Structures are given as structure tokens and as C-alpha cells.
């Protein structure tokens, strides 16, 4: 069975796909608005601290576990000890729950790309966005369309689907981003946006911010739902995954910062507030674009950028349940993709409707959409990352010496994996949930 598993064409395609998974809506949609809600630069500091300390280790452990076991998530955990199967199963379940809200945002993006091309004059983007999200049939159609695009690409397999999409979309993403940053930095008062991002106000620090930063860090790095484990399981040659870990973390952080540099100068230049929440890129930015010459082209370009980022991450999320289903049940990828499509559609439709006709339904006092976002980023991903560290450190016995030459660093890695990171993950979870 193992020999029949697909593998990456080259080291380059693996790292591109892993960066493609990490860099997504988390960087461009979620990061700026969560930073905006949590006081700007001080949140950035906490976030960077967590990325460099706590997140490095589980990211590495995921890649290592995939590479060592050469199995999809459930098989990977089961091969360490059959009793750990449940921790493996938690990964595709988390993936399905994430997809169920991720693809809704993907649907909005498609709508905004079309809006840019049609050059419609919208007087009030806040009303436009509310209508888009509340109008049941179009909203569900866009969600399903985005899901379908990602499912088809994922079903086509590693080379024809995942590598193909990343090879085209990631360079496109980078080019559009650079153009938009140059444009944004030339707006009047752009420096105010940069100050907001980089001048911390320490009075805004609070415990809840640490959980938000942790949830954001895990989400943006795709840690804690098996995407990198599954991608790692397709690594064929003797690849240095320590180097891959640095590269993924560095690129993801760079793109999150660049997204901030692309967005905040424009917001401050127009005297707007950065704390408008999830609507930041769907209301505030389009409002700005509508006031500048050729704004509709910039609007389309910005949402094509978001689309590229969302698709490359979306396929990595779907790859987890698709790989698990097809390898466990020994069915074709196409059949597995079909089942995953149905399951994700069944959850994402009520989540889409939670902006409109199902807004009354609350789970833990949140709308279905907000509940899915909260439960995955702030609860399931930290929990999965916790079990991953415990199992990788104590049972699979991954050790720093396997990958690091420096003795001090490799000892530090071992202590981090077995004690510090699991403890920190649980502590932050408890503080945040209180
Ligand atoms: N990292 C992606 C983003 O920042 O948008 C989201 C994501 C992808 C989360 C894959 C989890 C995952 F497994």
C-alpha cells in the first residue's frame, strides 16, 4: 500500500504547496481584522512571540510524523499506537469543520471578483455585504461554487491538482500583492497605518489576547488539523524538514505582515477604523477602492489575490479528509472527494444561512459561522496540537538529534516538545476559555 502512495514531484513543489496551505484567508482576511480588534502592534508582538516559540515545535512535529509514518492522519496516529486512532480521527473532523466556514468566505470572494469586473457602482458596501451574506440562495450558491472548485482540484490528486494549483496561484498571489502594496504606500498618510502596525501600546495587553493570538497563529500556520502531516507524508526524498519548517514559518509571517502593510495604510489614509471585524476586507477596503480612479480594477485584483490564497489553503484542508477516506476505506480519490463534498456542503449551508434566515440559531451564544470559527481555531486546533506534541514526543519519540546538529538546540527542542509546548497550549486554552 505504502509504495502506491503519491509523492511530490520535487522539493520545490512540496514547499510551495506547504506555503500555499499556510498562506490563506488567515493572513489576508483574518490576521488584519483580529489585529485591528486587539489593539494593533501589541497583538503583533504577542503573535510573533507565539509563532517563534510555541508554534515552531508542533509544525515541525506534524511534518515529521507524516514523513516518518508515510500515512494519512488516522493511520499515522494509529501506527504509533492503535489506541491513538481517535486523535487521528480528530484531524479530518476538524478539517471538515474548518472547511464549512472557510468556503463561505471563499464564496464571498468570488462575488467580489465578479463585482470588480462588472464595474458596478455600489453606494454603500456595508449594505451590499449584509445583503450578500443574508440572501440565502446566492450566498449558498457561491459557497458551493467555491467548494466545488477546491474539491475538483483536490480530487485530481497531488500532481495534477494540488501541485498544478499551487504552481499557478502562488506566483499570481505574490505579484498582485506586491503591486497593491506599492499602490497603498503611496496614498497620503500611509505612515499612520504603518505606525498602527508597528508602534505597540502595552496598555492593551490582556489574557484573552494570548488565546486570540494563539488561535490565529495555529490557524495561519495550518497546525492542528493534519494538513501538514498529510503533505509531509508525501515527501519522498530525504528532505530536511527542519529547513522546511523555518521556510513555512518565515513565509507565512512575511505574508501576514505584507497583508497588513497592504491594508492598514489604505485604511488610515481614508481616516477609517481598523477594528471593523470580519467586514474589514469586504466593507472597508471596497469602500476605499470605490473612491479612487480605476478602483474596480484594484478591487478585482485584490479579490483575485484573496481567491488564490484561499484556494491553495482550501485544497490542503480538503486533502486531509479526502486522503483519510480514500486510504482507509480503499476507495478512489474521486469517490472520497464526492463524500467530502456532501458532508462539507451539509454543514456549510446552515453556516451560510446563519447570516440570514438561520441567524436565530445559536451555539455557545454564537452564530453557526462564528461557532465553527471559534471551536476550530480556539479549541480543536490547540487541542489537536497538544495531543500531537504528546504523542510525537513521548510515544513516537521524535528527538531533536534526528534533525539538529547543535546539541543545545536539540535538547531545547526535546524539552519543548515533551513539556513546555503541551503545557503552554493547555494553559492558554484554559485561560482563554474562562
Ligand atoms: N492556514 C490557512 C490560512 O491561513 O488561511 C488556513 C488553514 C489551512 C487552516 C489548512 C488549517 C489547515 F489545515
Amino acid at each position: 500500500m505504502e509504495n502506491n502512495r503519491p509523492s511530490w514531484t520535487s522539493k520545490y513543489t512540496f514547499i510551495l504547496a506547504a506555503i500555499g496551505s499556510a498562506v490563506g484567508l488567515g493572513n489576508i482576511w483574518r490576521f488584519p481584522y483580529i489585529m485591528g480588534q486587539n489593539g494593533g502592534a501589541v497583538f503583533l508582538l504577542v503573535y510573533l512571540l507565539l509563532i517563534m516559540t510555541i508554534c515552531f515545535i508542533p509544525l515541525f512535529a506534524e511534518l515529521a510524523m507524516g514523513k516518518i509514518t508515510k500515512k494519512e492522519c488516522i493511520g499515522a496516529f494509529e501506527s504509533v499506537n492503535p489506541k491513538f486512532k481517535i486523535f487521528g480521527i480528530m484531524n479530518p473532523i476538524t478539517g471538515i469543520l474548518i472547511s464549512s466556514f472557510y468556503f463561505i468566505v471563499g464564496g464571498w470572494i468570488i462575488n467580489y471578483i465578479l463585482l470588480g469586473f462588472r464595474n458596478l457602482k455600489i453606494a454603500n458596501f456595508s449594505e451590499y455585504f449584509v445583503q450578500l451574506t443574508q440572501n440565502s440562495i446566492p450566498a449558498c450558491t457561491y459557497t458551493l461554487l467555491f467548494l466545488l472548485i477546491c474539491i475538483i482540484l483536490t480530487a485530481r490528486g497531488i500532481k495534477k491538482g494540488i501541485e498544478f494549483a499551487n504552481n499557478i496561484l502562488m506566483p499570481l498571489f505574490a505579484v498582485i500583492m506586491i503591486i497593491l502594496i506599492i499602490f497603498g504606500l503611496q496614498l497620503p498618510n500611509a505612515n499612520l497605518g504603518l505606525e498602527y502596525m508597528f508602534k505597540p501600546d502595552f496598555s492593551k495587553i490582556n489574557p484573552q489576547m494570548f488565546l486570540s493570538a494563539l488561535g490565529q497563529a495555529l490557524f495561519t500556520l495550518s497546525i492542528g488539523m493534519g494538513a501538514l502531516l498529510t503533505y509531509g507524508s508525501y515527501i519522498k526524498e530525504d528532505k530536511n524538514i527542519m529547513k522546511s519548517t523555518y521556510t513555512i514559518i518565515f513565509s507565512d509571517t512575511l505574508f501576514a505582515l505584507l497583508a497588513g502593510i497592504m491594508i492598514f495604510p489604505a485604511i488610515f489614509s481614508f481616516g477609517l477604523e481598523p477594528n471593523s471585524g470580519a467586514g474589514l476586507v469586504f466593507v472597508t477596503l471596497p469602500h476605499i477602492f470605490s473612491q479612487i480612479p480605476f478602483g474596480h480594477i484594484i478591487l478585482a485584483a485584490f479579490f483575485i489575490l484573496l481567491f488564490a490564497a484561499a484556494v491553495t489553503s482550501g485544497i490542503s484542508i480538503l486533502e486531509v479528509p479526502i486522503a483519510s477516506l480514500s486510504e482507509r476505506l480503499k476507495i478512489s480519490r474521486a469517490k472520497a472527494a464526492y463524500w467530502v463534498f456532501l458532508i462539507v456542503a451539509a454543514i456549510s449551508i446552515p453556516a451560510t444561512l446563519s447570516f440570514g434566515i438561520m441567524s436565530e440559531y445559536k451555539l455557545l451564544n454564537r452564530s453557526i459561522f462564528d461557532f465553527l470559527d471559534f471551536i476550530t481555531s480556539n479549541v480543536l486546533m490547540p487541542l489537536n496540537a497538544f495531543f500531537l506534541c504528546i504523542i510525537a514526543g513521548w510515544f513516537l519519540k521524535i528527538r531533536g538529534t534526528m534533525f539538529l546538529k547543535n546539541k543545545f538546540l536539540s535538547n531545547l527542542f526535546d524539552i519543548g516538545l515533551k513539556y513546555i509546548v503541551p503545557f503552554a497550549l493547555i494553559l492558554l486554552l484554559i485561560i482563554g476559555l474562562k
Side-chain angles (χ1 to χ4, degrees):
M1 180 69 192
E2 276 181 26
N3 293 337
N4 297 332
R5 293 190 87 243
S7 57
W8 301 105
T9 309
S10 69
K11 290 180 191 175
Y12 164 77
T13 54
F14 157 67
I15 200 72
L16 194 66
I19 295 173
S21 166
V23 178
L25 295 180
N27 303 62
I28 309 161
W29 167 65
R30 208 169 181 277
F31 175 73
Y33 93 70
I34 297 225
M35 187 169 159
Q37 284 176 330
N38 283 281
V42 69
F43 175 84
L44 180 63
L45 273 185
V46 172
Y47 169 81
L48 290 178
L49 184 79
L50 292 178
I51 288 240
M52 284 181 299
T53 51
I54 295 190
C55 297
F56 173 82
I57 286 181
L59 198 163
F60 177 82
E62 263 206 34
L63 284 178
M65 198 155 161
K67 190 182 172 207
I68 293 169
T69 61
K70 292 251 170 296
K71 291 202 161 75
E72 48 65 51
C73 289
I74 306 175
F77 279 86
E78 200 181 34
S79 67
V80 182
N81 184 326
K83 285 195 201 121
F84 297 153
K85 190 169 156 186
I86 178 68
F87 302 118
I89 295 175
M90 285 310 292
N91 286 279
I93 290 182
T94 308
I96 283 172
L97 295 178
I98 292 180
S99 351
S100 305
F101 76 89
Y102 206 83
F103 293 121
I104 296 175
V105 185
W108 300 340
I109 293 172
I110 298 181
N111 180 286
Y112 273 73
I113 295 176
L114 299 177
L115 182 70
F117 283 131
R118 291 193 344 241
N119 190 14
L120 288 183
K121 293 274 166 279
I122 306 290
N124 184 335
F125 271 99
S126 154
E127 259 171 33
Y128 178 82
F129 183 58
V130 168
Q131 272 188 8
L132 166 71
T133 53
Q134 290 188 349
N135 237 332
S136 308
I137 296 182
C140 290
T141 312
Y142 284 117
T143 302
L144 294 180
L145 180 64
F146 188 79
L147 170 60
L148 198 64
I149 295 171
C150 293
I151 273 280
I152 291 173
L153 285 168
T154 320
R156 283 166 60 89
I158 305 303
K159 296 191 171 73
K160 284 198 220 143
I162 301 180
E163 289 186 354
F164 167 79
N166 278 290
N167 289 347
I168 296 176
L169 295 174
M170 287 306 283
L172 177 75
F173 168 83
V175 171
I176 299 180
M177 187 170 230
I178 291 168
I179 296 172
L180 290 179
I181 288 176
I182 296 173
F183 165 79
L185 288 178
Q186 281 167 357
L187 292 170
N189 291 327
N191 59 317
L192 293 179
L194 296 180
E195 259 177 40
Y196 177 77
M197 267 189 83
F198 297 114
K199 234 181 170 179
D201 171 0
F202 289 102
S203 66
K204 293 194 171 141
I205 274 204
N206 62 61
Q208 190 61 40
M209 174 185 287
F210 280 81
L211 185 76
S212 296
L214 175 71
Q216 172 60 21
L218 296 177
F219 185 83
T220 189
L221 289 171
S222 309
I223 299 171
M225 60 139 282
L228 293 172
L229 191 160
T230 313
Y231 273 13
S233 74
Y234 302 135
I235 300 175
K236 190 170 44 178
E237 64 255 73
D238 207 15
K239 177 145 183 56
N240 180 343
I241 52 173
M242 191 54 96
K243 227 165 99 192
S244 310
T245 307
Y246 296 135
T247 315
I248 296 167
I249 291 191
F250 174 77
S251 315
D252 187 77
T253 309
L254 180 72
F255 279 114
L257 291 176
L258 289 178
I261 296 175
M262 173 172 73
I263 289 172
F264 288 119
I267 290 176
F268 280 86
S269 176
F270 279 77
L272 299 170
E273 286 298 321
N275 56 358
S276 60
L280 188 69
V281 307
F282 291 98
V283 177
T284 317
L285 279 188
H287 171 70
I288 293 171
F289 296 151
S290 69
Q291 297 181 38
I292 47 187
F294 302 108
H296 65 286
I297 298 178
I298 299 173
L299 181 93
F302 176 77
F303 282 98
I304 291 173
L305 163 104
L306 260 184
F307 177 80
V311 169
T312 52
S313 299
I315 55 185
S316 77
I317 303 176
L318 293 173
E319 176 61 15
V320 177
I322 291 180
S324 286
L325 270 186
S326 75
E327 288 181 37
R328 302 291 298 184
L329 304 181
K330 305 213 180 341
I331 54 176
S332 68
R333 280 181 75 88
K335 216 177 221 171
Y338 171 75
W339 283 109
V340 171
F341 175 83
L342 290 185
I343 300 169
V344 174
I347 308 176
S348 61
I349 287 178
T352 310
L353 296 177
S354 72
F355 288 91
I357 54 171
M358 287 182 74
S359 59
E360 303 286 290
Y361 292 85
K362 300 277 183 223
L363 293 163
L364 291 184
N365 251 338
R366 294 171 164 85
S367 71
I368 303 177
F369 179 93
D370 287 339
F371 171 78
L372 288 170
D373 184 359
F374 170 79
I375 200 82
T376 50
S377 328
N378 290 8
V379 181
L380 290 174
M381 291 174 98
L383 259 189
N384 290 343
F386 167 80
F387 288 118
L388 172 90
C389 290
I390 296 288
I391 291 170
W394 291 91
F395 299 92
L396 188 60
K397 300 203 189 321
I398 291 176
R399 292 288 171 267
T401 44
M402 297 173 178
F403 310 93
L404 285 163
K405 290 203 182 78
N406 182 305
K407 205 159 178 315
F408 173 73
L409 284 183
S410 86
N411 283 341
L412 198 64
F413 176 88
D414 296 347
I415 298 171
L417 180 64
K418 287 168 73 175
Y419 304 99
I420 303 175
V421 176
F423 176 72
L425 284 168
I426 285 296
L427 189 71
L428 286 178
L429 199 65
I430 294 170
I431 296 175
L433 288 180
K434 262 214 227 150

